Amino acid sequence: MNGAVSKKPELSKRGKKSSTYRRIVTGNVNGRSVVQNDEQMQAYQFKTVPGYEHTLIWLNAATPDLSKEQRFDRYPDSVVPGPGGTSLHFVTFPPASVFADPSFDGEAARDEALIRLRGLADHFEKEDPAMHKTNTVDYAVVYDGEIWLELDDGETLQLKRGDVVVQNGTRHAWRNKGTQPVTMLFFLNGATP
């Protein structure tokens, strides 16, 4: 799981520090609201895809029972929530030039994604690994940069910082056609099959 950031974050091969996000978790103790946890979450940097980062901030695999303490202390079997569940992710997409580079190893990238993005990467299509469809309603917010949303039949929409997409279980891909990384916030809601 993404853990607390050490005092000296490791640098990637390109010399960039991993992104970090502050996660504050509240709860109830004796009928009073309290801070259960306040920590910096360090993004996971994919070793096989320079500039690709993923941070799973929180996951409720199913509908949470708020009468009990909510915990997220181990990396889940799936980053995609089940019916009634939710998950929150920050994702940084590298430019398309990373994938076009002759040194890019698509098979190694797929293998790493299957480990790190369990429950999601197995939905990536073999012919076009960016295309996928999950049984979720996703709220996708462009946090920084510009990205293109591709749907069936090659239909694309250019999205900019602050744009929000509500994805209702549709087949899609995110394409970074620019020269800079793009960071997005994803909130996934598990739906019934």
Side-chain angles (χ1 to χ4, degrees), residues 77-141:
D77 293 333
S78 175
V79 299
V80 177
T86 61
S87 61
L88 181 65
H89 312 248
F90 272 104
V91 179
T92 299
F93 296 95
S97 60
V98 167
F99 303 99
D101 188 289
S103 67
F104 176 72
D105 183 345
E107 196 61 37
R110 179 174 172 75
D111 290 346
E112 185 175 17
L114 285 168
I115 294 168
R116 185 62 191 185
L117 301 175
R118 294 184 289 231
L120 175 62
D122 51 321
H123 291 277
F124 295 164
E125 296 177 5
K126 197 144 187 97
E127 305 77 38
D128 183 354
M131 290 298 278
H132 62 286
K133 177 181 176 180
T134 56
N135 195 37
T136 56
V137 174
D138 306 346
Y139 305 111
V141 181

Side-chain angles (χ1 to χ4, degrees), residues 133-169:
K133 177 181 176 180
T134 56
N135 195 37
T136 56
V137 174
D138 306 346
Y139 305 111
V141 181
V142 181
Y143 185 75
D144 187 37
E146 294 183 9
I147 198 158
W148 284 256
L149 168 64
E150 182 177 329
L151 300 173
D152 284 334
D153 301 323
E155 181 181 353
T156 59
L157 297 165
Q158 183 179 6
L159 306 169
K160 298 180 180 185
R161 181 186 164 115
D163 288 348
V164 179
V165 175
V166 178
Q167 193 85 273
N168 288 301

